Every structure is written in structure tokens, then in C-alpha cells.
């Protein structure tokens, strides 16, 4: 079991650039979650998918953020254009639909200068 | 009011003591409750989950749930310096839009920082 795989591990970009974060969930898991973690706000749920369908994106801060899950093994979180306040650690997590706990990836540390 | 509340700490306990971490939640319909541990610079890792009122023990860890009081706690017995970390309480909120099969949305508290000193 390779666990949840996120890439890149670190991303440094300039304000106004497009950023794409990637996630591969654990095989067989039906739910995928994107979280953002900052010192000020803790772990915030941005969006989650069930069976590749976005269910709740109410946590997405602005229209600059978008997420897709084209198939069961891949998801992206895109920020366009990026701003310095988007700097945070972004975690992807997956779980089965049956109520089992979330398994987190190692996160992507994003720095927008 | 935040949906999941924890004391941010730091909670400082001596090695070998019992550490008690507490969490309250606002959604009475919540059914599943989780404790995660997060070391600095790492991702959260699951320690315990509990679904029913009462206590659940796993090694040095005991989770306690009281749905009537909307309260969940984590006890760590014989605390070790390696237990020093931030402990995150998470509550699963059901969402009919997600279909059947259990919870769909896991909301985290801000975390309690635990420091175990030798």
C-alpha cells in the first residue's frame, strides 16, 4: 500500500502564477478530500469528492481555486492566479465510503512570493 | 462558534503522567469521532476513532465519547517525550448529498499541542 501520494512536495511561485497540486488516492478508496493548513486557521476542508463527483466545495476560498477528479486515481487542485495569502500546506486525504478514517498524503508546502 | 473546539495548549505533562486532551463539537448529528496526531512538519496520522458512547482503549490511548454532552476526549497513559505533538480532534458530519455509506465530511479542531518533559 503506497498510501496517498501528493506532488510536488514543495512549490515556490510568484504571485499571479498558476499552481497545480496533484494527488493520487489509495486504490479502492472512494472519497477524496483536499485540506489547507495554516497556523492561523488550522486544517480547513476545501472540497471533497465521492466516486469522483464533487460533493461540497463550500470551503474553496475563491473562484481562483478549482479542483477536479477525472478518474478514481487522480485529482488536482489548481490556483489561478496565486496570491501570497495562498501560502500554506495543502493536504490530500482519501477514505472508503463506509466511514473509515482519512489517510493523509505528505502534503504540498506552497509558498507564493 | 466553531464546529469543533479544542484548547490550543500547550499542555505540559511530565514523563509517565496521564495526558488528557479534550474536544467539544456543535453538530448533534455527528456520528464518528477521530483523534489524529501531527508532528511538526508532518501530516496528520490516525490514533483512535470512536463511534459509540463510552470508552475505547488501544494500548496507552483511551478515547472517551459523550454524545449527550457533545464531548470527546483522549487520554494518554504513561506519557513519553515521543508523544509530544499536536493532537487534532476530528468530527464526521453526515451529508446526504454524498449518498449512503457513512460520513462524508471530516471537520478538524485547531489542535492541542502536547509537550511531555522528561
Amino acid at each position: 500500500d503506497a498510501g496517498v501520494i501528493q506532488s510536488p512536495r514543495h512549490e515556490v511561485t510568484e504571485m499571479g502564477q498558476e499552481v497545480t497540486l496533484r494527488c493520487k488516492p489509495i486504490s479502492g478508496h472512494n472519497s477524496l478530500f483536499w485540506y489547507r493548513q495554516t497556523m492561523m486557521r488550522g486544517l480547513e476542508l476545501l472540497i471533497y469528492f465521492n466516486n469522483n463527483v464533487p460533493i461540497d466545495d463550500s470551503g474553496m476560498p475563491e473562484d481562483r481555486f478549482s479542483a477536479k477528479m477525472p478518474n478514481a486515481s487522480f485529482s488536482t487542485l489548481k490556483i489561478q492566479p496565486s496570491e501570497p495569502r495562498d501560502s500554506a500546506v495543502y493536504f490530500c486525504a482519501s477514505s472508503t465510503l463506509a466511514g473509515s478514517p482519512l489517510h493523509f498524503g505528505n502534503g504540498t508546502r506552497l509558498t507564493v512570493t | 462558534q466553531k464546529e469543533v473546539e479544542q484548547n490550543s495548549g500547550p499542555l505540559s505533562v511530565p514523563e509517565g503522567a496521564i495526558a488528557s486532551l479534550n474536544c467539544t463539537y456543535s453538530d448533534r448529528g455527528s456520528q464518528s469521532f477521530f483523534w489524529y496526531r501531527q508532528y511538526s512538519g508532518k501530516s496528520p496520522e490516525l490514533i483512535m476513532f470512536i463511534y459509540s458512547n463510552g470508552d475505547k482503549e488501544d494500548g496507552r490511548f483511551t478515547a472517551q465519547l459523550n454524545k449527550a454532552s457533545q464531548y470527546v476526549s483522549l487520554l494518554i497513559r504513561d506519557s513519553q517525550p515521543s508523544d509530544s505533538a499536536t493532537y487534532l480532534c476530528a468530527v464526521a458530519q453526515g451529508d446526504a448529498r454524498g449518498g449512503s455509506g457513512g460520513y462524508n465530511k471530516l471537520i478538524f479542531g485547531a489542535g492541542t499541542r502536547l509537550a511531555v518533559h522528561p
Side-chain angles (χ1 to χ4, degrees), chain A residues 9 31 33 35 37 40-43 45 48 50 55-56 58 91 95-107 109, chain B residues 2 32 34 36 38 41-46 49 51 88 93 95 97-110:
Chain A
R9 289 296 307 275
S31 296
F33 300 74
Y35 286 87
Q37 187 172 40
M40 291 295 295
R41 301 175 69 90
L43 258 178
L45 177 63
Y48 73 96
N50 277 356
I55 302 300
D56 187 340
S58 60
F91 287 106
S95 74
T96 67
L97 273 178
S100 65
L102 294 185
H103 298 259
F104 283 82
N106 288 327
R109 181 173 296 277
Chain B
K2 292 184 179 178
S32 306
F34 305 85
Y36 284 79
Q38 187 175 26
K42 302 294 185 182
S43 57
E45 56 179 331
L46 179 73
F49 59 89
Y51 300 147
L88 302 166
Q93 296 180 349
D95 186 338
R97 291 173 295 175
S100 62
Y103 80 93
N104 286 293
K105 187 172 175 176
L106 204 59
I107 304 300
F108 283 82

Side-chain angles (χ1 to χ4, degrees), chain A residues 1-8 21-29 31-34 68-77 91-95 103-108:
Chain A
D1 184 355
V4 176
I5 299 172
Q6 290 187 248
S7 64
L21 310 181
R22 297 173 175 79
C23 176
K24 176 180 169 55
I26 293 172
S27 178
H29 281 193
S31 296
L32 183 140
F33 300 74
W34 283 101
K68 294 182 179 179
M69 192 165 185
N71 57 62
S73 60
F74 184 66
S75 177
T76 59
L77 178 67
F91 287 106
C92 176
S94 70
S95 74
H103 298 259
F104 283 82
N106 288 327
T108 295

Side-chain angles (χ1 to χ4, degrees), chain A residues 21 34-38 41 44-48 56-67 77-90 110:
Chain A
L21 310 181
W34 283 101
Y35 286 87
R36 176 173 69 177
Q37 187 172 40
T38 60
R41 301 175 69 90
E44 301 174 276
L45 177 63
L46 300 178
I47 185 171
Y48 73 96
D56 187 340
D57 65 355
S58 60
M60 298 285 261
E62 304 172 29
D63 291 345
R64 298 184 296 106
F65 286 69
S66 62
L77 178 67
K78 186 175 293 185
I79 308 172
Q80 166 63 18
S82 58
E83 296 183 4
R85 59 193 168 125
D86 301 330
S87 298
V89 179
Y90 290 80
L110 173 65

